[in-house]
Amino acid sequence: MTQSAVRATVRDDRREPDPEEDPAEGPANGGDAPASGTDGGHRPRRGRRLLKWFAAVLALLIAGSATAGYLYYRHLNDKIEKDPLHLGDNKVAEPTPNAAGQTPLNILLIGSDARDTEENQQLGGARETFGSTPLADVQMLVHLSADRTNMSVISMPRDTLVHIPKCTDPDDGTVYPASNGRVMTNQSLGHGGPGCTVATWENLTGIHIDHFVMVDFAGVVSMADAVGGVPVCVDANIHSRDSQGHGSGLKLPEGTHPVKGEQALQWLRTRYGFEDGSDLARAKAQHMYMNSLVRQLRENATLSSPNKLRRLAEKATEALTVDPGLDTVKKLYDLSTELRKVEPERITMTTMPNRYVGARVEPTEDAEKLFRLVREDIALDGRDKKPEKERETAPADPAAEDAEIAVQVRNGTRTDTLAAASGRTSTIAGVLRDKGFTGATADTTGASSEKRTVVRYPSADLEGDARRVAEALGIPASAVKRSTDVSGVTLVVGADWREGTAYEAPEEDDETPESAHALNGADDKACMHVNPAFTW
């Protein structure tokens, strides 16, 4: 993807046609097709290239052993595009290591709809979109647990309404102001590059992101060809094409069949013909493809062929844009080695729970629960052992006397639908002073939005103080976070504490919400249901 294309002016998403649509019919967002949701119905296209990243990354784990020498290694490295990891001002601190000194690994996988080459244009859509600003139409967070025993994947719908933070392009200094209100998340890519999509995810989820991998249209075609096809299943004959020309063109007989090349892209784009025609159905099909691809790469002995490995390496490195932490074949190989430690049965695919907001969607309370599980490194398959609270490690420095702890109280009670609760900083600062924290002060400079009450601290020497403040107020230890956004112990009163003086920690369970539509990576019996209107 050219850097100039990424930095072009963000186009109106209404000009963005769905490649599954007939260009003459206009964008998929038009007409009477509603957004997808739990109650069915069509929703604007998104996630159609969900799997490109995975083929590329796993291909490179194979390719690492196929490099025939230093010159060839340099040749592959030179083909990998690089872009900065994070373009926003506010970064989420890295997670605290577990008792064994291990930390999770979070990778944001981005599918760009870039149409900046003839190949991408042919695969991607109408002529008038050639060279236009790419959108991040596929966004998936891959969370590899600290102990490397399990992997969780969260897909975010392309039309999720989010606040895009201010992003600065380090190459030319262009500043993209924070969005005025909520806009579609896929527009984040046009605010300086993939580093702004990373910043947007961190802003929404509170999850620290270590790397990103981005692939364009042509990537999924070349990857599928290189691995020899990916088996997929339909429960009836399908032809994704209606009388008005809508559909991806996918045509398959009932049963399980390997798809590759453009047919693989058609599978990933198909909405017309799968289940209720919603984008949730499309995401389900993409998750099935992804699971099958993982098993294929693990089990397909033909990939031991040097020629196939070389072809795979060439195609993978051509397809990728990555952050500097992944800018060589060796780094990608090391990453894929970590990913390969997880058996398919410990991989859980999910879609971010969402609800309608007009023709768009927004995260629900279940989405915040899903984000919390990832932040706390809790496996989405429910097979983790319950953490033992008493094993919590002591802070490096013990807490000072309560009267010596300086605490700043901020108001984070604003939500997307409610104004900030007035007087909360003064009230809670008063509660702290009554408890002996005479150094507590109220920050009245303005309100922010924080779903859960949290105590933040900037450095290890203040961790004990932060924990003591949380303990005094009945705030759980999991809500004590290290952050570079604060200069001292800072209590942010969240939307869960809009009234009263006694904090009541919300009851939490560690079950993956049903609305996340979890799919296990070892499920090789999954088969897409075909809408009878699209059978033959």
Side-chain angles (χ1 to χ4, degrees), residues 77-158:
N77 286 344
D78 289 344
K79 296 169 76 172
I80 302 173
E81 292 283 339
K82 299 93 175 173
D83 233 3
L85 174 62
H86 198 296
L87 301 183
D89 289 340
N90 298 325
K91 299 180 181 180
V92 175
E94 295 183 18
T96 302
N98 62 16
Q102 303 165 308
T103 55
L105 191 61
N106 295 309
I107 309 141
L108 186 62
L109 310 164
I110 303 169
S112 164
D113 75 344
R115 298 189 175 108
D116 52 357
T117 66
E118 290 187 8
E119 183 179 10
N120 276 331
Q121 177 63 30
Q122 183 178 12
L123 294 168
R127 292 185 180 88
E128 63 269 19
T129 64
F130 186 84
S132 54
T133 304
L135 298 173
D137 275 355
V138 176
Q139 299 178 36
M140 297 178 60
L141 181 69
V142 175
H143 171 83
L144 184 61
S145 66
D147 62 6
R148 304 303 190 252
T149 63
N150 65 87
M151 186 188 301
S152 303
V153 181
I154 302 176
S155 302
M156 184 189 295
R158 71 181 286 272

Side-chain angles (χ1 to χ4, degrees), residues 198-503:
V198 169
T200 301
W201 266 81
E202 288 199 351
N203 187 59
L204 174 68
T205 66
I207 298 169
H208 173 79
I209 294 176
D210 300 282
H211 300 291
F212 75 80
V213 176
M214 183 169 69
V215 192
D216 61 14
F217 273 125
V220 67
V221 173
S222 61
M223 290 300 98
D225 282 345
V227 300
V230 176
V232 295
C233 177
V234 287
D235 66 0
N237 299 343
I238 182 174
H239 186 200
S240 179
R241 184 74 69 197
D242 67 11
S243 59
Q244 282 141 353
H246 299 146
S248 68
L250 178 71
K251 189 172 185 179
L252 286 174
E254 177 183 353
T256 299
H257 310 276
V259 293
K260 61 182 180 178
E262 189 168 358
Q263 194 174 47
L265 182 62
Q266 288 175 333
W267 176 274
L268 299 174
R269 287 168 42 198
T270 294
R271 177 162 57 88
Y272 289 94
F274 283 156
E275 299 188 350
D276 60 1
S278 72
D279 206 68
L280 288 179
R282 173 154 54 188
K284 182 178 178 181
Q286 292 167 340
H287 288 164
M288 288 182 185
Y289 180 100
M290 181 178 182
N291 287 341
S292 182
L293 177 61
V294 173
R295 293 190 296 269
Q296 186 80 349
L297 285 169
R298 284 175 173 271
E299 299 168 6
N300 192 343
T302 63
L303 290 177
S304 60
S305 162
N307 287 335
K308 287 191 175 184
L309 289 172
R310 190 176 300 111
R311 183 165 62 252
L312 202 54
E314 291 280 350
K315 295 299 183 182
T317 50
E318 286 175 358
L320 295 177
T321 300
V322 298
D323 67 273
L326 294 176
D327 62 357
T328 68
V329 170
K330 182 183 184 304
K331 291 176 183 177
L332 285 163
Y333 176 78
D334 290 343
L335 170 63
S336 59
T337 299
E338 292 294 286
L339 295 173
R340 193 167 45 163
K341 292 177 181 178
V342 181
E343 295 297 327
E345 59 266 21
R346 295 301 314 275
I347 299 174
T348 305
M349 313 281 182
T350 64
T351 299
M352 183 198 76
N354 59 82
R355 60 177 162 242
Y356 292 118
V357 180
R360 309 298 182 216
V361 299
E362 66 181 4
T364 63
E365 293 74 15
D366 279 354
E368 171 53 30
K369 178 180 179 181
L370 198 64
F371 300 152
R372 178 184 66 80
L373 294 177
V374 170
R375 286 195 301 266
E376 298 179 8
D377 198 25
I378 298 171
L380 299 186
D381 62 7
R383 292 173 56 184
D384 271 353
K385 293 182 179 179
K386 298 298 180 184
E388 299 179 26
K389 302 295 183 182
E390 59 271 18
R391 290 173 58 187
E392 196 171 87
T393 57
D397 286 344
E401 295 296 324
D402 292 354
E404 298 176 5
I405 298 176
V407 187
Q408 186 179 71
V409 182
R410 295 180 181 174
N411 191 338
T413 59
R414 191 184 67 223
T415 72
D416 292 331
T417 57
L418 296 172
S422 62
R424 295 305 289 159
T425 54
S426 299
T427 298
I428 303 307
V431 170
L432 280 168
R433 286 193 292 269
D434 289 344
K435 290 179 177 290
F437 294 86
T438 55
T441 59
D443 180 354
T444 58
T445 57
S448 61
S449 179
E450 198 78 45
K451 293 182 176 68
R452 297 283 179 89
T453 296
V454 62
V455 181
R456 296 195 171 101
Y457 63 95
S459 54
D461 60 311
L462 292 177
E463 181 182 1
D465 293 355
R467 288 196 194 182
R468 173 61 192 136
V469 170
E471 179 186 20
L473 294 173
I475 297 170
S478 60
V480 178
K481 306 289 185 182
R482 186 169 177 171
S483 172
T484 57
D485 293 340
V486 296
S487 57
V489 176
T490 304
L491 167 64
V492 184
V493 182
D496 59 345
W497 199 8
R498 290 178 59 86
E499 57 185 24
T501 57
Y503 181 70

Side-chain angles (χ1 to χ4, degrees), residues 10-16 27-29 35 43-48 113 134-139 156-165 179-191 196-197 200-201 204 357 359-363:
V10 180
R11 68 176 181 275
D12 186 331
D13 67 90
R14 291 173 298 179
R15 293 171 49 206
E16 170 57 28
N29 296 347
R43 157 160 94 187
R45 67 168 178 84
R46 58 175 179 267
R48 61 181 177 242
D113 75 344
L135 298 173
D137 275 355
V138 176
Q139 299 178 36
M156 184 189 295
R158 71 181 286 272
D159 55 358
T160 301
L161 295 177
V162 298
H163 292 281
I164 298 178
S179 60
N180 184 16
R182 296 189 301 171
V183 298
M184 285 173 57
T185 184
N186 66 347
Q187 295 182 19
S188 60
L189 186 59
H191 289 223
C196 195
T197 305
T200 301
W201 266 81
L204 174 68
V357 180
R360 309 298 182 216
V361 299
E362 66 181 4

